[in-house]
Amino acid sequence: MISGSEEHIFQFPRKGRIEVVCGSMFSGKTEELIRRLKRAQFARQRVEIFKPAMDSRYSEEMVVSHDKNQIPSTPIDTSASILLFTSEIDVVGIDEAQFFDEGLVDVCNQLAADGIRVIVAGLDMDYKGVPFGPIPHLMAIADEVTKVHAICVGCGQLAYLSHRTVADDKRVLLGEQTLYEPLCRSCYAKAENTNQYE
Ligand SMILES: [Zn+2]
């Protein structure tokens, strides 16, 4: 039995498409990206992985998930650079896509038009619940969207966003392990109302 998102690997090896895997921090989105890319490699497809150059929290040239599963990647500064590396490639993975410029949308469309399977992983929302970077646009044009969820540390339900546990208004703070916690809607509302972290 082949699950829905991977059926096309065997039926249409060169059919371009866009898949988005998104969710909060600690939701397993990078793990899911790596899982899909590794399965493509097992199917002898040529895979290339990109991430924003700014995301160097663990390693310059590896995409690394929180559980230390990793895969070699190319750090790039702008989304347009992806097109320089993708001739002769079957599958393109893009991690931390929320940090890329809006040009990523056109880049993904062009890759898919060229017959490439594009798998994009990123945060759907920032710590205030605002849709993040090019992710909402990518979700709209994607062939398939997968939302993955962390577990709320307050009550054990599915989490809705990554709540920041320190008072800082900058949109991006790297070093996320200690600065954020996954919360469901109601625990997030409680945390905001009580200002318990400010
Ligand atoms: Zn909760």
Side-chain angles (χ1 to χ4, degrees):
M1 180 75 186
I2 300 163
S3 73
S5 66
E6 289 174 337
E7 208 167 333
H8 68 283
I9 292 176
F10 306 99
Q11 293 177 353
F12 310 106
R14 288 295 296 173
K15 188 176 181 185
R17 58 186 259 128
I18 299 170
E19 299 163 32
V20 171
V21 179
C22 62
S24 68
M25 292 174 188
F26 316 107
S27 64
K29 56 193 183 306
T30 296
E31 287 83 351
E32 176 60 18
L33 173 67
I34 292 173
R35 189 188 73 83
R36 293 185 190 186
L37 293 172
K38 288 201 162 167
R39 285 175 65 83
Q41 287 177 325
F42 291 145
R44 304 196 186 286
Q45 297 179 352
R46 293 159 298 183
V47 171
E48 194 70 49
I49 303 127
F50 302 93
K51 65 175 186 176
M54 64 178 290
D55 181 45
S56 57
R57 62 196 152 170
Y58 299 110
S59 162
E60 281 300 316
E61 293 183 355
M62 306 293 274
V63 167
V64 186
S65 63
H66 291 300
D67 65 3
K68 302 291 190 289
N69 205 348
Q70 60 186 32
I71 201 161
S73 75
T74 305
I76 51 171
D77 289 319
T78 66
S79 61
S81 308
I82 293 173
L83 298 173
L84 303 176
F85 295 98
T86 46
S87 59
E88 309 295 314
I89 294 296
D90 301 303
V91 183
V92 167
I94 301 168
D95 198 25
E96 302 290 355
Q98 75 278 359
F99 292 140
F100 278 113
D101 52 280
E102 286 290 333
L104 185 63
V105 176
D106 286 340
V107 168
C108 289
N109 267 330
Q110 187 169 335
L111 292 171
D114 289 342
I116 294 172
R117 178 187 178 199
V118 185
I119 310 171
V120 181
L123 287 173
D124 48 2
M125 293 176 280
D126 69 9
Y127 73 102
K128 290 178 171 169
V130 177
F132 209 144
I135 297 288
H137 199 152
L138 286 165
M139 289 169 76
I141 64 161
D143 299 83
E144 182 186 304
V145 176
T146 305
K147 272 223 183 194
V148 286
H149 299 276
I151 299 298
C152 174
V153 296
C155 71
Q157 300 294 310
L158 292 182
Y160 152 73
L161 52 60
S162 331
H163 177 245
R164 187 173 284 174
T165 57
V166 294
D168 191 315
D169 284 341
K170 273 192 297 193
R171 193 174 204 195
V172 176
L173 290 177
L174 295 177
E176 62 199 53
Q177 293 278 19
T178 56
L179 300 177
Y180 298 91
E181 61 184 7
L183 293 179
C184 71
R185 282 181 192 272
S186 81
C187 291
Y188 175 67
K190 276 183 225 156
E192 288 295 289
N193 289 336
T194 57
N195 283 330
Q196 69 183 94
Y197 297 108
E198 289 172 26

